[in-house]
DNA sequence: CGGCGCATTGAGGGCGGTCAATTGGTGTGG
DNA sequence: CCACACCAATTGACCGCCCTCAATGCGCCG
């Protein structure tokens, strides 16, 4: 069930069979969510952490005045709110972008595992640190890239992350976002997202129609985005 | 020496005296850096992690074309590159903004400590998760706030963080940034940083002269920034 | 005194915002 | 099967924030 998660964990040195079994053993039964549903509420204090099994979720912050910002998108295999294991309160909500399946790990059990298996604890720690690396990278994207580069960057990142979990098909992938949601991810208005997508289409770089993205010219997209996948940390670590 | 770090750690349940001694015991002698000096290089693979004792540092990313983005500022007591304990390569460099003192913890020793003291390991993990929370928050600032709100937000955050380590004086604090550096932090041009500062000055909210900031109207500043310190996690956690 | 780094100011322009109307696709009830 | 509602995508007009370029002021140091 959590193979994708175990794959991500194994980048920080493969966990032992015992550790895998132990982790799998504390996961609760599958839960399902439909598009738009709030999976975790802002300001709540979860007693368990959620692994996304299928679908796509977003970390959503709602500001004064009602504008929203999505600070991260989650793909299958992601431990959506592992940071809540350490932090008392959620600083954002988690919303299902389409139909999703999840399983959860109770914090009490996680704590027991971490006490017993220090390397597993570090591998989980590693996941949250990769998350932070992605956040940092998006800060530079927001600070120093224009709209078209941001959009291209999002598509590059999602393609790489989805490919990693086997959810791409020859440059195509599902992207269950309306243009308004994409604006919330990119820090743009929905109108401008539309214009940017059209620009990418006009340049024959990408098509994005009906929740489906097709990358037609990867090199051009990477160039527009100034994309370098290093920050995603998909290359296995070597514990020194 | 590392009292400020221990204070931050203790927010995630106070470490035992034994844990404190153990951590203090692995720190290397004090190292000094001068303004502008590169403390850790982008793409390097550090074998130790650095604690900032005094001064201010920034995490700097240099982009194609030479533009820069500072993704975070570090204040005394911060574990500047603790994430490098888990991640093989630095995705950014760390630069001293003024004269700084540091001490470091060798990764091999850290690993030994984490194996032996699971709660200490979690407290360190907690520090990196707070970092990520700050990153996430800045994503919303970049995505949805205009220039003056960003600048105000930076000043609010720094005042709170510096106050926490006892480095403010009645609304005043040292801010060793040129306006150009502030632009690299805020994702703005140096010129516009200047105009925004003048605007804050004109509104009698803040003065910022010669590396020294004086907040004259905290409430107004908070209002402009739409600032809420929750994301800084300065309130102690309760381990449940 | 001259050089240098930083702050400040002005002019002009473009990126991306808002507002509002239109198109088109999908689903539903009659 | 069609009418209608609804949501998402698209388009146009207009405008303001923040950019770039460039010049000037100012404090400090050699």
């Amino acid at each position: 069930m959590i193979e994708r998660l175990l794959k991500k964990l194994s980048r920080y040195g493969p966990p032992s069979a015992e550790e895998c079994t132990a982790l799998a053993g504390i996961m609760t039964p599958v839960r399902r969510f439909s598009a738009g549903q709030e999976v975790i509420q802002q300001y709540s204090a979860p007693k368990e952490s959620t692994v996304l099994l299928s679908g796509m979720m977003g970390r959503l912050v709602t500001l004064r005045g009602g504008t929203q910002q999505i600070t991260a998108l989650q793909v299958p295999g992601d431990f959506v709110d592992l940071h809540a294991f350490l932090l008392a309160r959620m600083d954002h909500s988690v919303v299902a972008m389409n139909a999703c399946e999840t399983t959860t790990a109770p914090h009490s059990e996680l704590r027991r595992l971490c006490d017993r298996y220090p390397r597993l604890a570090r591998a989980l720690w590693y996941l949250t640190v990769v998350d932070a690396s992605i956040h940092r990278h998006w800060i530079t994207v927001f600070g120093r890239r224009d709209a078209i580069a941001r959009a291209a960057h999002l598509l590059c990142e999602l393609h790489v992350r989805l490919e990693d979990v086997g959810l791409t098909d020859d440059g195509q992938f599902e992207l269950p976002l309306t243009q308004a949601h994409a604006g919330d991810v990119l820090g743009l208005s929905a109108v401008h997202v539309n214009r940017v997508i059209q620009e990418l289409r006009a340049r024959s770089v990408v098509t994005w129609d009906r929740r489906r993205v097709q990358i037609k010219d990867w090199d051009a997209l990477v160039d527009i985005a100034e994309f370098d996948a290093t920050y995603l940390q998909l290359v296995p670590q070597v514990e020194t």
Side-chain angles (χ1 to χ4, degrees), chain A:
Chain A
M1 188 168 77
I2 56 168
E3 297 73 25
R4 283 172 174 148
L5 173 63
L6 294 176
K7 179 183 173 190
K8 284 177 210 257
L9 280 168
S10 71
R11 295 216 180 88
Y12 182 83
S16 69
E18 184 184 347
E19 287 166 338
C20 289
T21 318
L23 186 60
I26 68 171
M27 307 310 295
T28 59
V30 173
R31 216 166 292 169
R32 279 162 233 283
F33 297 89
S34 53
Q37 211 177 336
E38 195 172 45
V39 178
I40 303 158
Q41 292 184 347
Q42 195 165 0
Y43 308 123
S44 67
K47 295 253 176 301
E48 55 189 13
S49 282
T50 300
V51 178
L52 182 57
L53 299 176
S54 70
M56 187 174 281
M57 292 182 171
R59 303 188 185 183
L60 185 77
V61 176
T62 303
L63 299 175
R64 188 174 78 185
T67 59
Q68 299 185 323
Q69 177 71 43
I70 294 174
T71 57
L73 291 174
Q74 310 294 155
V75 304
D78 285 350
F79 225 131
V80 165
D81 59 345
L82 184 52
H83 56 289
F85 175 47
L86 286 305
L87 251 35
R89 301 225 160 259
M90 291 294 293
D91 54 343
H92 57 267
S93 64
V94 176
V95 173
M97 310 311 297
N98 56 356
C100 290
E101 293 177 314
T102 67
T103 178
T104 65
H107 288 169
S108 54
E109 301 286 336
L110 267 182
R111 203 167 298 117
R112 207 168 43 72
L113 255 55
C114 288
D115 285 343
R116 175 138 173 208
Y117 305 107
R119 281 195 85 258
L120 177 61
R122 283 211 294 284
L124 290 168
W125 184 356
Y126 163 79
L127 290 183
T128 65
V129 164
V130 171
D131 248 44
S133 171
I134 297 176
H135 291 326
R136 269 197 303 281
H137 195 82
W138 274 96
I139 287 177
T140 77
V141 170
F142 275 104
R144 296 303 186 194
R145 305 269 225 286
D146 64 10
I148 195 167
R150 290 189 204 178
H153 206 286
L154 178 65
L155 297 180
C156 285
E157 175 177 315
L158 284 177
H159 185 267
V160 168
R161 288 171 64 195
L162 289 171
E163 189 174 41
D164 178 58
V165 289
L167 291 172
T168 57
D169 171 21
D170 191 28
Q172 294 180 49
F173 58 91
E174 291 297 325
L175 182 51
L177 296 179
T178 64
Q179 294 180 0
H181 275 141
D184 290 339
V185 174
L186 298 171
L188 299 170
S189 68
V191 171
H192 204 66
V193 168
N194 183 277
R195 290 194 243 264
V196 160
I197 293 172
Q198 286 181 57
E199 173 71 21
L200 289 172
R201 213 158 29 212
R203 294 200 208 169
S204 300
V205 176
V206 154
T207 61
W208 175 351
D209 186 50
R210 233 73 68 72
R211 310 294 135 91
R212 188 147 193 93
V213 169
Q214 155 115 48
I215 296 173
K216 300 174 74 175
D217 187 340
W218 174 255
D219 292 343
L221 191 65
V222 164
D223 187 61
I224 293 169
E226 206 173 321
F227 181 75
D228 173 355
T230 316
Y231 72 100
L232 292 171
Q233 307 286 344
L234 297 183
V235 178
Q237 302 292 310
V238 183
E239 187 162 8
T240 50

